[in-house]
Every structure is written in C-alpha cells, then in structure tokens.
Amino acid sequence: MEFVGQHILSVDQFDRADIERIFEIADRMRPYAERRRITRVLEGAILGNMFFEPSTRTRISFGCAFNLLGGEVRETTEIKASSLSKGESLYDTARVLSGYSDVIVMRHPAPGSVAEFAAASRVPVVNGGDGPNEHPSQALLDLYTIRRELAARERTVDGMTIALIGDLRYGRAVHSLVKLIGLFQGVTFRLVSPSELALPSEYLQALARAGHRAEATDRLEDGLRGADILYVTRTQEERFPTQDEADRYRGLFRINQDIYTSYCAPSTVIMHPLPRDSRSEARELDDDLNSNPNLAIFRQTDNGVLVRMALFALLLDVADKVDDQAREVPWFTGGREAG
Ligand code: ASP
Ligand code: CP
C-alpha cells in the first residue's frame, strides 16, 4: 500500500510486502526507541492522541513513539473529559482535532467509530482500537514479536501452531492478529474458548479460504499441546451486555508455571496483548510465570514503540530521513535490561 497520508484502520489494508516494509523500518528504530540515539525528524509535528477508552500501553507508547521522532503530543483520555459528552459528533470532533494535529491516533468503544472519524479528518488517523472490532497496531507488534521469538527458536510464522486462548469473541487484538497471520502459509490455529466466546465465523471462514487449519476447543490442555505460541487474552468484561454474564467466564482458563510445565514444549512462547487480569479470581496468566524466559509479554510492549514509530515514519513520509542529523544521547544509558 501507499502509506503516506493514509489512515490505518484495519489490518485488511496490509499485504506481506507492507508488513516487511513496516518491520524493516521498525528494526531501524531500535537505537532511538532504546533511547541511545536522538532524532528530531518530526520536530514541530503534533500527534493528537485521542483515547476515549481506558489504555495504558497503546496511548503511552504511541505518544512516546511520536516524541522519540521529535514530535509533540496532545491528548485526551476519556469521553467525559471531551465535548463528545456534550453531544458533539465524531464528524465535528474530527474536523476540529485534525486542524490541530498532523496525525491522530484514536481509540473509541464503538466498532467503526474510528473509520467514521477518519472520513472527516484532514490528517491520517490510526485506529488504536474500535470496540470489539480491530486493533491493527497491536497485531503488528504481536506479529513482529512472534517473528523474532520464532526466529530465535529456528522456526517461522509459516507452518507454526498458535493457540489463541480466552475471549475470542470480543477480543479486538485477536481479531486483527488472526487476519494478519492469515497472510502467511500453513498456520495451525488452536482456538481455545467457551463456545459463547468463540471466534466469530467471518474470521474462521477467512482462515479456511487461505488454507489454514483452525481447531476449536474448550479444553485448555488440548490447545496447549504442541503449540509454538500461546496468545492468552483477558475476558473483555467491558464488552458484555451485563456484568453477570462477564462474571461467568472469569478465571475459566488460567495458565501458571505448573500447567505450562505439564502441557507445553519447553520453548513455547507465552504472549498476551495485556493488560492481564491479575485479580485473584481471574489470573489468566499467573505471576509465577514472570521468571519464565519464554514469557514475551514485556518484549511485546517494548516492540510496540518500534512498530508505532515505523507507522508514523511511513504515514508522514520521513522513514528515510530519520537518521539525518541523528546523534548519540549524552546521558548514561547502561544498566537497562531488555523486556
Ligand atoms: N489492551 C487490549 C485492547 O485494548 C487487550 C485488552 O484490553 O484486553 O484491546
Ligand atoms: N494492549 C493494549 O492495547 O493495552 P492498553 O489497553 O493498555 O492500551
């Protein structure tokens, strides 16, 4: 695709060549993301970081990514702190905010809301999550991480087995990731969920059309055996019609070190888009896995900065200018461990 000036609304926009281009630029961002080098290539540019739903890592890492390229960030963090709560439309909001920004990242609880906003925006808009629909930058950072983790284990995305575990119905990170991995070849998807939270049929049909295997089960052990990657997810409680319904699924699948040792190969990579639900009655990914070297969750979050820097560089057409006038940072950079 032509990235310059485009909106990023769905992973449907990407083909394999686009992914390679994003990842190649993400690799080049590492010294900046690790704050060993400084670039000012976006000096003077403004990111409108519009989050109308809770977020920790997407909002902060998009903001950091823009700052690391030299730009400034303005943001809002919830509907009630914006004039959307006074009845202002997405159209008017987009017209206003795109006059203040060079690029906008937006998260909103309604599916399709970011596309509606983008249609009225005068600048590129990146979907930071639209309800249960999609979370494209999450899928990119997940795939980037999967590739690196598998490469370190002499495996490839083509031909891998990935277990997607938990709330596959409302999980937008899962929806975008399934479609993105669908661009590869011969993948086996283990879909572990209660039947009520199964992956919606349109995603299954797309996987079948692309020649992948998809095996649905509600038994955790069956999903874990032989998987290269575990992609564990939180029950998206905020998407359920009632809290009572959400409560039914809390704590249904829990992975801890004992379960991992019993059912997984010793090199199985453990991923989660985060946040993991650490309440004692939930704990889909137990804290006792924190010292397991195959736990890649904080490598995922670190990689998010690289991938988001790459997206900004592409959309604003500075990918080949990032290194111009870059310099080493003057401060102490030792002692930092990678995620
Ligand atoms: N943070 C991810 C999202 O916003 C996953 C989650 O919240 O469980 O989709
Ligand atoms: N993974 C993710 O989107 O995290 P946040 O909801 O904290 O942004």
Side-chain angles (χ1 to χ4, degrees):
M1 68 176 274
E2 171 55 64
F3 284 92
V4 180
Q6 296 300 305
H7 305 305
I8 303 290
L9 302 175
S10 164
V11 294
D12 293 336
Q13 293 168 253
F14 304 134
D15 61 19
R16 288 273 297 255
D18 298 326
I19 293 171
E20 296 307 326
R21 176 120 179 86
I22 295 167
F23 289 179
E24 177 254 321
I25 295 167
D27 285 339
R28 282 166 31 206
M29 296 299 169
R30 194 165 289 278
Y32 304 102
E34 291 178 351
R35 297 174 308 285
R36 287 183 277 115
R37 301 194 85 199
I38 298 174
T39 174
R40 308 304 301 162
V41 71
L42 288 184
E43 188 161 23
I46 296 178
L47 165 68
N49 213 16
M50 301 298 141
F51 277 70
F52 301 117
E53 257 198 341
S55 171
T56 294
R57 70 231 80 221
T58 310
R59 180 168 63 86
I60 303 298
S61 66
F62 265 119
C64 286
F66 209 74
N67 287 148
L68 288 163
L69 290 167
E72 305 281 344
V73 182
R74 288 285 171 272
E75 59 188 16
T76 188
T77 53
E78 50 184 343
I79 286 180
K80 72 175 189 293
S82 85
S83 287
L84 287 173
S85 66
K86 301 181 198 171
E88 190 164 36
S89 65
L90 286 173
Y91 176 89
D92 285 4
T93 308
R95 292 300 298 266
V96 172
L97 295 178
S98 58
Y100 302 156
S101 326
D102 298 280
V103 58
I104 291 174
V105 177
M106 182 179 159
R107 171 175 287 189
H108 189 283
S113 53
V114 182
E116 183 184 341
F117 180 96
S121 170
R122 292 171 271 171
V123 300
V125 175
V126 180
N127 183 357
D130 60 326
N133 185 34
E134 277 223 40
H135 194 347
S137 66
Q138 178 72 43
L140 286 168
L141 77 88
D142 288 336
L143 178 60
Y144 182 86
T145 306
I146 289 170
R147 249 193 14 177
R148 281 177 65 89
E149 297 289 327
L150 290 181
R153 292 161 179 79
E154 294 176 353
R155 302 273 295 142
T156 59
V157 178
D158 294 315
M160 73 169 174
T161 296
I162 181 168
L164 299 159
I165 300 161
D167 182 352
L168 312 184
R169 176 179 184 184
Y170 294 116
R172 58 191 172 199
V174 167
H175 299 165
S176 290
L177 185 59
V178 162
K179 291 200 278 185
L180 205 58
I181 295 175
L183 295 173
F184 288 73
Q185 304 281 308
V187 175
T188 300
F189 291 84
R190 300 264 177 74
L191 305 169
V192 184
S193 72
S195 57
E196 301 86 346
L197 302 185
L199 189 67
S201 58
E202 69 261 30
Y203 299 98
L204 287 171
Q205 284 157 12
L207 290 181
R209 276 197 303 275
H212 300 291
R213 281 173 68 130
E215 304 165 349
T217 176
D218 58 4
R219 288 166 48 91
L220 181 60
E221 313 84 83
D222 294 346
L224 300 182
R225 282 199 190 91
D228 297 296
I229 305 279
L230 311 183
Y231 191 86
V232 186
T233 65
R234 175 183 71 89
T235 306
Q236 308 281 292
E237 296 196 4
E238 66 276 33
R239 311 266 178 241
F240 283 72
T242 64
Q243 187 58 48
D244 279 355
E245 267 180 77
D247 289 347
R248 267 187 245 152
Y249 302 102
R250 192 172 306 132
L252 202 57
F253 299 120
R254 293 160 173 258
I255 300 178
N256 58 23
Q257 186 58 53
D258 274 351
I259 302 269
Y260 182 89
T261 309
S262 304
Y263 298 106
C264 299
S267 62
T268 305
V269 182
I270 310 164
M271 296 178 60
H272 190 305
L274 299 183
R276 52 179 159 169
D277 189 339
S278 291
R279 291 174 294 176
S280 56
E281 65 279 21
R283 294 226 176 119
E284 67 273 6
L285 208 53
D286 201 282
D287 287 350
D288 75 357
L289 288 160
N290 287 357
S291 52
N292 184 323
N294 296 307
L295 185 75
I297 56 178
F298 302 118
R299 295 194 282 277
Q300 283 172 267
T301 51
D302 282 0
N303 289 338
V305 176
L306 305 175
V307 166
R308 289 171 174 138
M309 289 178 80
L311 285 178
F312 287 136
L314 282 162
L315 299 181
L316 297 178
D317 200 15
V318 292
D320 296 327
K321 303 188 184 72
V322 171
D323 297 328
D324 297 355
Q325 295 164 15
R327 57 195 163 88
E328 303 302 308
V329 300
W331 58 78
F332 173 70
T333 58
R336 280 194 209 127
E337 280 177 36

